[in-house]
Amino acid sequence: MAAIRIAPTRATRALNLLRTIGSHSPTCPCHSNPGHHHNHLSPLAVSQSKRALATPIDYSQQKEYAFEMAASSIRFGPGCTKEVGMDFKNMGAKKVMVVTDSTVEKLDAMKQVREGLEREGIAYEVYSKVRVEPKDYSIKEAIAFSKPYNADAFLAVGGGSVMDTAKLMNLYNSFPEADFLDFVNAPLGRGLPIQGKLKPLIAVPTTAGTGSETTGTAIFDLVDKKAKTGIAHRNLKPTLGIVDPINTRTMPSAVHASSGLDVLCHSLESWTAIPYYERVPRPQNPINRPAYQGANPISDIFSLQALRSTVKYLPRAVKDPDDAEAQSQMLLAATLAGVGFGNAGVHLCHGMSYPISGQNPGYKHQGYAVDHDIIPHGVSVAVSAPAVFKFTAASNPERHLAAAEAFGVDISNVKLESAGEVLSEAIAEFLVKLGDQPRGLKALGFQNKDIDGLVEGTIPQARVLMLAPNLEMQNQDEERGQLRQLFEDAMQY
């Protein structure tokens, strides 16, 4: 990769000048006398150099020059759930808080977990009231339940909602004096870094979508703000993800589809995010380097492979719940995408999805066994995808064409300026063929009068919006105008 050149500051130029002068052999005979102090710089030059050296560096405008890769340890294989008791014994854990939901509690995954813990003599308590698409109050209830037990380790068994809830239970048990908003992403929360290790957390996914078993991200609804937000930090990631394909075989077709669409957007967004070296500001301390850093050469490998696998295997997994190969490959794709987006980040589809699900006008997705209105996360991100990638393509047409090629498009004769339209059409066609997907925001019950609220719910998602190509974040009026147009374009595809 080519080195990134950063324009020198006045202080840097002054230092370079002084070094250059000092590195040349002196022509003045006085310099051969160590006791003779003579300065060839004029008083004006000396004064200017001192002022330059004293000028503070504006770090807020300096671009990033490095990226970090962080992911949980992953164990993949059919039947490996039964090893979880041995894992906790190897860690020295004595008391484990098991986190799940009321549906998963009845499934074989939880049976395997219980048997594994009991076989090794590990004490445990089960919290099974996790809410699908968590709210801040459901997270707080879970935290309050867990604190008296004083577990020395956590185990999440379920989908993204369960894993994210378990991460936050672990966080606020490890930092019991912290205020709930201390670690929540700014500007909705204080965005403080997590300065210390958490207790061990093992995550056992039962859906093939979120990739939460690999990431340091936990998402929930902040009810009073009518927006989704979350906490993102490397220290939040699970110690181990046990990725067992057997655990996804009970997923209903609708859950397969929605979970898989999350994988689709994770991979597309991380693949097309701004490059890490374009992100500002460069952190003054590496602890402040965000988990979502922008596209980088390592995350690219995971993201593109996850996209290809999703295009190939998701339609099969949705069509035939007994297709073991498709099920297994989608679970692996979810994990690959988790490593990709967990380090590169996501952008507009996810930023726009948070108010879409948080401001649900009364939609309940078919195939979800819940007693409340719900726009599943995968549905809320995919519904804007045709509009989003048409918008972002001008930033890097080659990448968008590579994504279109993953959908099976012959790009050999496609002009670069057509990349957005081609990828947009490929995504829309994929969604239609998948079946039973709402074809735009109108199908979810949104109307044009709702767009202002959706825009205002998106604006605070700076953590992901800053990675969006072409989005004008320096001027909020322009940003609002761009987001309004995107929501209008997403009304129907």
Side-chain angles (χ1 to χ4, degrees), residues 82-83 85-86 112 114-122:
K82 63 178 178 289
E83 298 179 351
M86 291 182 279
Q112 294 297 320
R114 291 178 189 273
E115 290 177 355
L117 293 172
E118 290 167 5
R119 193 160 47 240
E120 301 300 327
I122 306 291

Side-chain angles (χ1 to χ4, degrees), residues 133 228 258 349-350 352-354 356-357 375-385 441 444:
E133 305 295 339
K228 257 184 167 44
S258 176
C349 291
H350 274 74
M352 294 167 66
S353 80
Y354 299 147
I356 289 172
S357 57
I375 301 174
H377 178 61
V379 172
S380 71
V381 293
V383 75
S384 68
L441 293 174
L444 298 176

Side-chain angles (χ1 to χ4, degrees), residues 265 348-353 355-356 375 379-391 424 427-428 431 437-448 450-451 454-455 458 481-493:
C265 289
L348 280 166
C349 291
H350 274 74
M352 294 167 66
S353 80
I356 289 172
I375 301 174
V379 172
S380 71
V381 293
V383 75
S384 68
V388 163
F389 295 103
K390 188 174 183 179
F391 169 77
S424 176
I427 296 169
L431 295 174
Q437 295 304 311
R439 298 189 186 185
L441 293 174
K442 283 185 180 178
L444 298 176
F446 288 99
Q447 302 176 34
N448 287 335
D450 300 316
I451 290 180
L454 293 170
V455 169
T458 305
Q482 289 175 314
L483 290 172
R484 165 172 278 280
Q485 186 62 56
L486 281 167
F487 278 114
E488 288 177 359
D489 293 344
M491 275 291 170
Q492 190 169 351
Y493 63 80

Side-chain angles (χ1 to χ4, degrees), residues 244-273:
D244 184 343
I246 293 175
N247 292 334
T248 64
R249 292 181 184 174
T250 55
M251 289 171 62
S253 178
V255 179
H256 265 301
S258 176
S259 299
L261 292 177
D262 199 18
V263 182
L264 186 79
C265 289
H266 282 159
S267 53
L268 278 168
E269 289 172 75
S270 53
W271 172 250
T272 58

